Amino acid sequence: DAKTTQPNSMESNEEEPVHLPCNHSTISGTDYIHWYRQLPSQGPEYVIHGLTSNVNNRMASLAIAEDRKSSTLILHRATLRDAAVYYCIPTNAGGTSYGKLTFGQGTILTVHP
Amino acid sequence: NAGVMQNPRHLVRRRGQEARLRCSPMKGHSHVYWYRQLPEEGLKFMVYLQKENIIDESGMPKERFSAEFPKEGPSILRIQQVVRGDSAAYFCASSPLVETRNTEAFFGQGTRLTVV
């Protein structure tokens, strides 16, 4: 499994953008980069994923470095509901590892009113 | 379209009893994954099942834990002779495809097991 490094915690103010970094320097060429988040007392929730190009959806944007060794999840305008633990997860290619998500410690995002 | 349904949401068992956790995947999903989150720890993969088959159980403890996903009905995670260390949140996820590198997994709200 590719190893990931994320800040333990980050803080933001409501309505401001948030950039959550992730280092995955050992990622393989065919691994996708997934982001999930877990709100307090809830199950994980898919946020976004990508392979090489930057990706946008209604929740967030994902900026992937050209060498794919790092990526940044961008929340354009943080809300109180975005307070959660954010996980960056490279997904493995091949065999029975399909579907198995390897969660690290993630980044605890605190959003201040 | 209902999401992944887990029940019960909360389960209390005395040491030595059995715990049965149920997971109904999203409609049309035939791949189920179980994860465990111990207090103050991260989520850990336990087992991956397709209908009537265990595909990957590399994260399952060797004893007392078993999982099934029958042709009809929900997936069941069974813990026999529970101990205090089994107290955790157990999450189920489902996906429609085995190629989940390029799709998302949908998680349930979890079952919080407390062993007293």
Side-chain angles (χ1 to χ4, degrees):
Chain A
D1 291 351
K3 302 297 182 188
T4 60
T5 303
Q6 297 180 252
N8 288 333
S9 62
M10 292 186 65
E11 297 186 17
S12 173
N13 294 318
E14 207 173 5
E15 302 292 312
E16 291 183 354
V18 181
H19 291 233
L20 297 161
C22 179
N23 179 290
H24 33 75
S25 57
T26 60
I27 196 170
S28 75
T30 54
D31 284 357
Y32 281 76
I33 299 154
H34 285 237
W35 283 79
Y36 282 77
R37 71 181 185 181
Q38 187 175 22
L39 278 64
S41 301
Q42 295 192 29
E45 174 186 34
Y46 167 82
V47 178
I48 199 167
H49 77 282
L51 183 62
T52 56
S53 304
N54 294 344
V55 184
N56 300 293
N57 66 19
R58 64 177 178 80
M59 288 181 70
S61 296
L62 177 59
I64 301 172
E66 195 170 336
D67 63 6
R68 294 194 358 105
K69 293 184 177 182
S70 65
S71 62
T72 302
L73 178 71
I74 302 165
L75 306 179
H76 295 285
R77 292 177 64 193
T79 68
L80 295 177
R81 195 196 173 275
D82 291 322
V85 182
Y86 286 79
Y87 298 97
C88 159
I89 307 173
T91 53
N92 297 308
T96 58
S97 59
Y98 278 148
K100 182 168 82 175
L101 299 171
T102 302
F103 289 84
Q105 291 305 306
T107 296
I108 300 170
L109 175 65
T110 301
V111 180
H112 299 290
Chain B
N1 187 11
V4 176
M5 303 300 291
Q6 290 189 248
N7 65 81
R9 290 293 306 276
H10 300 274
L11 182 62
V12 179
R13 284 287 177 264
R14 296 187 185 280
R15 280 178 294 170
Q17 290 184 320
E18 179 180 285
R20 279 182 180 246
L21 287 63
R22 287 176 291 278
C23 169
S24 295
M26 287 184 70
K27 187 176 180 181
H29 290 193
S30 57
H31 305 272
V32 167
Y33 314 86
W34 286 92
Y35 293 82
R36 178 167 69 172
Q37 188 168 34
L38 293 165
E40 307 304 322
E41 293 191 19
L43 288 132
K44 302 293 184 188
F45 168 82
M46 299 181 75
V47 62
Y48 162 40
L49 310 103
Q50 296 176 24
K51 286 282 188 181
E52 300 184 280
N53 284 301
I54 297 174
I55 307 302
D56 181 350
E57 56 181 349
S58 58
M60 286 278 272
K62 297 291 184 230
E63 298 178 348
R64 301 187 298 106
F65 285 72
S66 62
E68 63 177 9
F69 188 17
K71 187 176 181 181
E72 300 291 337
S75 175
I76 306 288
L77 179 67
R78 183 184 178 203
I79 311 171
Q80 295 178 290
Q81 300 177 323
V82 296
V83 301
R84 288 228 171 100
D86 297 331
S87 296
Y90 292 82
F91 294 97
C92 168
S94 74
S95 72
L97 302 169
V98 68
E99 180 68 24
T100 53
R101 289 182 305 151
N102 193 21
T103 188
E104 62 186 280
F106 296 82
F107 283 80
Q109 292 302 297
T111 293
R112 280 150 185 83
L113 172 66
T114 302
V115 179
V116 297

